[in-house]
């Protein structure tokens, strides 16, 4: 039994917003795989919850008129991975969320919950950063959309005000059209683990597939919130596909990432792994774009 | 705070008044005495409490009981046929010596139901991933994998 | 019957969800108790303010260390009791204590109507401490200036023992000896049975009745009696199905406290349902060892002299104490016998979680040290790993002067041959010799030493009862406990064989109840089939004699010419069935002249012990930039004598191998050096191997019948865990040239070692 103060079950997005305004101290519970664990630990013991889990209107994946991909915030990880639209257009996102925890967690965990708790290790987050995703927030004054880089404020804190609900994540057409991506999760186990470091790469190659036209790379656990490796991105932009580019890219990562020492891993370890996985992820992304490299 | 929850459990419509603070594990064990739903960690890490909700496997420990409203839930107790015949999955777990202390067994069996309902032929590595939400300390997973693979192949006539 | 892979006798109940574990059969009206654990590593509780906690609705009673007015210190180890005071386990626990010795010690308990109320009240307890300095590592704890954890143990040394053979100091003076030295260390790991420990206690009929997830119900009865200062017969302990134990439940865990608490609320049922976090911190862990090995060899490879020092971290309380380090030392003295051997083993208290029994009992730790060290020796000599071991490992005919164990067969070489053939080891040793590149393959091997049961260190006794039903079937009770390993199935086969009935006529009662079940010490030391073998055969003999005597009465065939075969009384002269056992049982019970209910009960003491040897061979791939080891292939080969049930034996080996893989590569209970607090007390942060973390597991056997056992069998429960870690360590060495002597070989360790070795 959970130490829940009061449980308010929202019947619609509007009702959820009303409930959150009425009970400003209440926490939103989506799939609960994070909130309930913290409640049991005692961190959230006794708090009021507004449950949005049953709001099916916030589930599902669609392609909008401008060819953006809209993912309802309550869509579970497993539904994202096995969705046709994702498989055909955003394979890397399906791949990333297919590495969260284990199968049961991927059935309950939602992409909205994964991003709203503001943790740097979220497996979806680095890929969403690498895709320049937009976050749709519905609040008492209506719907607004902000870039994911503005959504994350600091560790555990995101740009949600009282009464706000994150209702969707939108991947603009230009972010994925012509790009090929790869997500490399580095963890201590091959399942049921959180990232020690996560790296997501998106690349667009020249028509003859010899030059990297554009690259976007994002890391999880390389700083307090997910981050883009802008220096490394710049260095490989317009660079030829060869070993030297990969090495430059890997070395440049160190100028962008800022992991910390913790009992889970030292900074030195994370920096070394950061370099190694950035290189691997870039090569894999390029391979996916149809170029043979040695990895 | 209490609430009346109506759902289908092992194919039967049921209604009970529950404490809204209850997890689905609590409800199934305490209200319905379905004790195959085991508690090994209560935070979704071990998989012992796995049940099917509308055909998908969930850790019932981190699923609020109130969310069960209107859902169809299956636990291990529901697998045996009315005349007492074991399901092919249960039989395979016995035949392949996939059971030791038995505490993780109910969860494994339920996830296997979800996997095999896909009617796909998976590789052993794919099966490993699909079963990876369960921890087991007795079997090294070896005979569990053998059992699941065997039923999968039998069902697909492979 | 014996030697056949019949399905587990409890498989049907387990696969249908009907097998009832402790939590499935709690009294409906049970109260719950939650424990307040010490938040400091060493010190004294000065006061506990319960005012706020008591206001929580649903709280029934709060019991603190200050309510424990009668101080009955008790030991917790699941050892058989001994009347020799000098060999008794150290009695250093109280059900609740104000003198706290680790973060996680038991200070107070809240008894409440539900778990939410209990949790809230525990959080509201205000505890004032006087903090003492603390020490977390054994090599620091033995220094004179270290904080004293227990008054009676100077320099925190629980015990130190030595083992001397020949003259080490003289022997090493020989000219031209090659010296190899190394320090090897193993981490704190936890058993991680999926069912946490749980117990429930109430009073009934003037007794305290406890239902517990334990491997050792009869021992728990004694310990609860000691902890409460009560007559042992006033305690009744029931063991239903158990969700794994691996040694953690070979200790009295929370049964004494639970019994104490029920008495605080008038005997109402009280349940302590241990959380996973508490399992990690406040149950038991494996003793971490620091092992220092020095070996001196002649150029021809002869081991001339060896020096050994073991420092075993006991944690805060004695539990199984020095037995673990002592057993480990014994293994080092024997696996590669050497004329001059000098060893000392220290068991040292520290302010860390309490170490107890865990699968292997000191052998996984010392085998890691020994087989890593041997590999280092072989490398230094430039020899072949397999051949050198063949030439120097314990020879056939070796007899241990203390235990009188004899190495009867060429078990090691037979096991090596099978493993070598499976893995193509020798070929791969050459194949992977000079690799470059990011990913490198390697192969490694390790042998192991293990002995079954505990004689002559401690008493080995087992009791068995057989009751003949009217239909010729049998009820069998043994004090040896089914905890998941398959003991009841093996017993069923053994009983069927010993009595002469078919498997379906034998019903082994799985649940132990100390008021009903005859005494045995329980499940540990890989002793179940070995020790129960003696009591089963002895009891079967008595039962058979009674049956045959009755049979003579009805058939007039001399008992010397009667046998029981497949549920029938058979005249051996012509193999003719003269009466069915069912008819005999029925006639005997309902006989109006001399009614007799046929039953038998015997106690057998085992005054022998058996070696159980084998090896592990592995192949790994090391990803150097990613600092990761991937296990590609692994095989364990065991000579555990004659197999009672090959399929279950194989399954048992799989589980032990998996545990060994975790020990080698990922498991490590981390302690914050600044506070003494465990950092990763959950199954997410404690890296138990998942389904995706190792390959298929290959288990093979060599079956040399053990001459001391009626069934030719010997221990298998623990051995599979023993050789895995050094085999993996040696494979990583082969692949990379880097020797890592500090388990686990996780990416953090590889990163540091590869950096130092210039690989990255």
């Amino acid at each position: 039994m959970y130490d829940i103060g009061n449980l308010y079950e929202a019947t619609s997005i509007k009702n959820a917003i009303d409930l959150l305004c009425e009970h400003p101290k209440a926490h939103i519970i989506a799939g609960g795989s994070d909130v309930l664990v913290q409640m049991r630990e005692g961190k959230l013991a006794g708090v009021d919850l507004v449950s949005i889990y049953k709001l099916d209107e916030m589930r599902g994946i669609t392609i909008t008129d401008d060819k953006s991909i809209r993912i309802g915030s309550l869509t579970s990880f497993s539904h994202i991975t096995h969705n046709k639209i994702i498989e055909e257009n955003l394979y890397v996102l399906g791949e990333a969320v297919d590495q969260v925890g284990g199968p049961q967690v991927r059935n309950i965990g939602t992409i909205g919950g994964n991003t709203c708790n503001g943790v740097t290790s979220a497996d979806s987050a680095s890929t969403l950063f690498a895709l320049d995703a937009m976050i749709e927030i519905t609040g008492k004054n209506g719907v607004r959309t902000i870039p994911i880089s503005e959504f994350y404020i600091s560790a555990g804190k995101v740009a949600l005000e009282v009464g706000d609900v994150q209702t969707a994540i939108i991947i603009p057409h230009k972010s994925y059209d012509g790009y090929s991506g790869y997500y490399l999760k580095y963890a201590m186990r091959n399942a049921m683990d959180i990232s020690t470091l996560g790296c997501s790469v998106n690349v667009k190659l020249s028509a003859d597939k010899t030059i990297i036209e554009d690259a976007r790379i994002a890391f999880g656990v390389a700083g307090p919130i997910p981050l883009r490796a802008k220096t490394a991105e710049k260095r490989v932009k317009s660079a030829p596909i060869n070993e030297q580019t990969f090495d430059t890219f890997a070395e440049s990562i160190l100028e962008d990432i800022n992991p910390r020492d913790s009992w889970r891993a030292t900074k030195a370890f994370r920096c070394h792994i950061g370099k190694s996985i950035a290189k691997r992820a870039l090569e894999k992304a390029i391979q996916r774009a149809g170029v043979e490299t040695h990895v | 705070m209490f609430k009346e929850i109506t759902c289908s459990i092992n194919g039967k419509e049921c209604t009970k008044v529950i404490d809204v603070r209850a997890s689905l594990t609590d409800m199934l064990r305490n209200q319905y005495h379905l004790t195959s739903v085991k508690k090994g960690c209560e935070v979704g890490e071990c998989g012992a409490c796995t049940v099917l909700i509308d055909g998908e496997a969930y850790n019932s420990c981190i699923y609020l009981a109130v969310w069960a409203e209107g859902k169809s839930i299956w636990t291990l107790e529901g697998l045996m046929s009315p005349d007492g015949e074991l399901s092919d999955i249960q039989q395979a777990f016995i035949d392949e010596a996939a059971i030791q202390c038995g505490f993780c067994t109910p969860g494994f069996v339920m996830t296997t139901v979800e996997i095999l309902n896909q009617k796909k032929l998976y590789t052993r590595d794919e099966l490993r991933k699909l079963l990876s939400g369960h921890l087991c300390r007795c079997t090294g997973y070896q005979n569990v994998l053998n059992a699941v693979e065997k039923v999968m192949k039998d069902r697909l006539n492979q | 019957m014996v030697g056949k892979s019949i399905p587990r006798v409890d498989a049907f109940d387990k696969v249908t969800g009907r097998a009832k574990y402790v939590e499935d059969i709690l009294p409906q009206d049970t109260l719950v108790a939650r424990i307040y654990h010490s938040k400091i590593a060493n010190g004294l509780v000065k006061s506990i303010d319960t005012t706020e906690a008591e206001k929580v609705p649903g709280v029934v009673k709060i019991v603190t260390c200050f309510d424990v007015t009668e101080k009955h210190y008790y030991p917790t180890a699941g050892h058989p009791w001994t009347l020799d005071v000098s060999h008794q386990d150290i009695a250093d626990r109280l059900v609740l204590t104000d003198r706290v010795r680790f973060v996680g010690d038991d200070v107070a308990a809240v008894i409440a109507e539900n778990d939410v109320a209990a949790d809230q009240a525990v959080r509201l307890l205000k505890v004032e401490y006087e903090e003492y300095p603390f020490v977390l590592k054994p090599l620091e704890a033995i220094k004179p200036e270290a904080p004293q954890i227990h008054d009676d143990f100077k320099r925190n040394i629980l015990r130190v023992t030595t083992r001397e053979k020949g003259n080490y100091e003289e022997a090493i003076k020989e000219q031209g000896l090659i010296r190899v030295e190394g320090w090897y260390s193993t981490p704190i790991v936890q058993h991680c049975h999926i069912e946490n420990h749980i117990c429930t206690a109430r009073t009934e009929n003037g007794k305290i009745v406890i239902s517990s997830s334990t491997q050792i119900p009869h021992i728990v009865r004694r310990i609860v009696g000691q902890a409460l200062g009560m007559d042992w017969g006033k305690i009744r302990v029931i063991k239903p199905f158990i969700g794994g134990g691996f040694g953690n439940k070979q200790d009295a865990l929370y049964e004494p406290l639970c019994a104490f608490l029920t008495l605080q609320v008038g005997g109402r049922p009280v349940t302590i349902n241990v959380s996973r976090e508490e399992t990690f911190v406040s149950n038991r862990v494996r003793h971490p060892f620091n092992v220092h090995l020095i070996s001196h060899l002649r150029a021809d490879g002869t081991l001339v002299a060896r020096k050994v020092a073991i420092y075993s971290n006991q944690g805060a309380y004695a539990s199984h104490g020095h037995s673990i380090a002592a057993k480990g030392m014994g293994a080092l003295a024997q696996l590669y016998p050497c004329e001059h051997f000098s060893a000392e083993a220290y068991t040292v208290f520290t302010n860390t979680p309490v170490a107890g029994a865990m699968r292997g009992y000191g052998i996984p730790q010392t085998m890691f040290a020994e087989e890593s060290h041997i590999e280092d020796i072989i490398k230094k000599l430039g020899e072949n790993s397999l051949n050198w071991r063949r030439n120097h490992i314990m020879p056939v005919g070796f007899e241990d002067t203390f235990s009188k164990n004899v190495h009867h067969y060429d078990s090691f070489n037979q096991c090596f041959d099978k493993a070598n053939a499976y893995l193509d080891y020798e070929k791969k040793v050459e194949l992977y010799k000079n690799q470059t590149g990011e990913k490198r393959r390697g192969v490694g091997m390790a042998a192991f030493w293990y002995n079954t049961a505990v004689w002559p260190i401690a008493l080995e006794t087992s009791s068995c009862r057989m009751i003949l039903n009217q239909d010729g079937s049998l009820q069998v009770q043994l004090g040896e406990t089914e905890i998941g390993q398959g003991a009841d199935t093996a017993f069923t086969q053994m009983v069927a064989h010993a009595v002469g009935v078919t498997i379906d006529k034998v019903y082994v009662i799985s649940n132990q109840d100390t008021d009903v079940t005859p005494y045995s010490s329980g499940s540990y030391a890989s002793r179940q089939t070995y020790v129960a073998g003696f009591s089963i055969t002895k009891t079967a003999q008595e039962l058979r004699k009674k049956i045959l005597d009755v049979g003579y009465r009805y058939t007039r065939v001399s008992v010397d010419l009667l046998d029981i075969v497949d549920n029938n009384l058979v005249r051996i002269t012509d193999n003719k069935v003269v009466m069915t056992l069912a008819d005999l049982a029925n006639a005997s019970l309902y006989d109006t002249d001399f009614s007799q209910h046929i039953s038998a009960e015997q106690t057998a003491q085992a005054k022998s012990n058996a070696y159980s040897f084998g090896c592990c061979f592995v192949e790994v791939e090391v990803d150097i930039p990613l600092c990761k080891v991937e296990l590609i292939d692994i095989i364990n080969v065991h000579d555990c004598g004659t197999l009672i049930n090959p399929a279950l034996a194989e399954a048992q080996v799989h589980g032990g191998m998996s545990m060994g893989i975790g020990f080698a590569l990922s498991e490590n209970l981390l302690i914050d050096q600044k506070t003494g607090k465990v950092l990763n007390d959950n199954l997410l942060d404690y890296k138990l191997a998942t389904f995706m973390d190792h390959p298929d597991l290959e288990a093979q056997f060599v079956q040399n019948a053990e001459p001391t056992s009626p069934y030719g069998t010997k221990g298998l429960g623990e051995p599979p865990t023993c050789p895995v870690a050094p085999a993996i360590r040696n494979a990583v060495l082969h692949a990379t040239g880097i020797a890592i002597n500090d388990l686990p070989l996780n990416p953090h360790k590889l990163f540091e070692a590869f950096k130092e070795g210039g690989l990255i």
Side-chain angles (χ1 to χ4, degrees), chain B residues 21 29 33 35-36 38-43 45-46 48 76-77 80 84 86 89-91 93-95 97 99-106 108-109 124-125 127-129 131-132 134-146, chain C residues 7-8 11-12 14-21 23-24 28 116 190-196 242-244 246 273 276 358-359 483-485 647-648 651-652 654-655 658-659 667 682-684 686 688-692 694-697:
Chain B
R21 302 175 300 173
R29 287 184 59 88
H33 311 294
T35 56
S36 76
K38 298 298 183 204
K39 289 155 66 178
C41 72
E42 299 184 86
V43 289
E45 285 157 9
C46 77
L76 181 63
E77 285 87 345
M80 188 185 261
L86 294 179
I89 299 170
Q90 289 170 303
Q91 191 59 50
F93 270 64
I94 295 176
D95 296 343
I99 303 159
Q100 290 195 37
C101 84
F103 209 74
C104 68
T105 307
F108 265 124
V109 172
R124 277 172 83 83
D125 279 348
L127 287 176
R128 283 184 181 275
K129 179 162 186 184
L131 290 160
S132 66
H134 296 268
L135 295 176
C136 171
R137 195 56 142 169
C138 297
T139 64
Y141 309 105
Q142 184 69 25
N143 289 351
V144 176
L145 183 59
N146 292 344
Chain C
R8 287 180 71 105
F12 184 89
K14 284 177 174 174
V15 86
T16 51
R18 286 180 205 168
K20 297 295 180 192
Y21 301 74
E23 192 175 5
D24 304 335
Q28 293 280 309
V116 173
Q190 217 275 334
H191 315 66
C192 294
H193 33 67
I194 303 301
E195 182 206 31
N196 293 309
I242 296 304
F246 310 111
N273 197 350
R276 179 57 62 183
M358 184 170 171
R359 196 179 207 163
I483 61 167
Q485 78 283 59
L648 293 193
Q652 181 83 330
H654 294 152
S658 183
M659 193 179 269
E667 294 180 38
N682 58 73
L683 292 169
L684 177 64
Y686 180 85
L688 182 66
T690 73
F691 224 119
M692 294 177 74
H694 54 65
D696 280 335
L697 306 169

Side-chain angles (χ1 to χ4, degrees), chain C residues 148-390:
Chain C
Q148 180 86 15
I149 298 171
H150 290 273
D151 291 342
D152 296 339
F153 298 92
K154 292 281 168 264
R155 289 172 60 211
N156 297 313
I157 297 170
L158 186 156
R159 213 170 152 208
V160 53
T161 51
T162 57
R163 195 161 173 150
E164 297 290 337
K165 189 180 143 195
N167 189 332
Y168 175 82
E169 292 302 334
E170 280 303 312
I172 63 171
K173 288 177 184 161
E174 182 180 321
Q175 290 297 305
L177 292 181
I178 300 163
R179 184 174 187 277
V180 181
E181 178 177 5
W183 277 92
Y184 307 87
S185 61
T186 63
I188 307 180
V189 294
Q190 217 275 334
H191 315 66
C192 294
H193 33 67
I194 303 301
E195 182 206 31
N196 293 309
H197 170 61
I198 175 174
C199 53
T200 184
R202 64 183 192 277
T203 62
E204 191 181 293
N205 197 19
K207 287 187 173 193
I208 298 177
V209 182
I210 300 165
S211 183
S212 176
S213 178
T214 181
Q215 299 172 219
I216 46 163
H218 277 286
I219 291 178
V220 165
R221 165 193 248 188
R222 180 256 298 168
I223 294 173
V224 171
Q226 292 172 321
L228 270 51
M230 286 173 67
D231 291 341
W232 301 355
K234 288 221 172 224
I235 317 294
R236 177 178 168 202
V237 179
I238 298 164
K239 180 221 77 105
F241 279 107
I242 296 304
F246 310 111
N248 187 36
K249 297 171 184 171
Q250 193 206 336
D251 241 68
L253 293 169
Y254 283 116
E255 298 93 341
L257 175 60
C258 202
F260 178 77
L261 293 179
T262 188
L263 296 182
Q264 307 306 306
V265 289
R268 293 162 71 187
V270 175
T271 300
I272 298 179
N273 197 350
V274 172
S275 70
R276 179 57 62 183
E277 293 80 356
E278 289 176 300
T279 298
F280 275 112
V281 177
S282 303
N283 278 190
R284 302 293 178 266
V285 296
R286 188 190 287 290
H287 290 74
F289 278 14
N290 293 102
V291 182
H292 186 201
L293 300 177
I294 305 170
S295 299
H296 303 265
L297 301 103
R298 293 199 188 99
D300 66 357
T302 311
L303 268 170
V304 173
R306 302 191 66 192
K307 194 173 176 70
V308 172
I310 295 173
Y311 300 88
S312 168
N313 184 350
Q314 180 52 54
Y317 292 98
S319 178
H320 282 249
H322 193 60
S323 322
I324 282 107
K327 182 154 186 168
M329 183 166 66
L332 293 179
Q334 295 184 18
L335 186 58
Y336 296 94
C338 165
E339 215 175 310
H340 304 282
F341 183 84
S342 172
E344 53 185 1
Y346 294 81
T347 297
V348 184
F349 287 112
T350 64
N351 298 106
T352 60
V354 181
M358 184 170 171
R359 196 179 207 163
Y361 214 74
I363 305 304
Q365 297 98 310
T366 45
M367 283 307 108
F368 173 68
E370 177 74 334
E371 281 295 77
S372 299
H373 184 73
I374 292 295
E375 195 69 25
D376 293 346
I377 287 173
I378 294 168
K379 205 166 177 233
K380 191 148 187 176
L381 295 169
E383 292 258 4
N384 172 303
S385 294
L386 183 52
N387 287 345
W388 192 92
R389 282 185 175 84
R390 286 189 195 277

Side-chain angles (χ1 to χ4, degrees), chain C residues 689-718:
Chain C
T690 73
F691 224 119
M692 294 177 74
D693 292 308
H694 54 65
D696 280 335
L697 306 169
E698 176 74 13
Q700 293 187 14
F701 299 93
V702 166
Q703 295 196 51
N704 290 315
E706 166 59 32
T708 61
S709 155
Y711 292 89
T713 186
K714 48 191 180 174
L716 184 65
E718 297 168 277

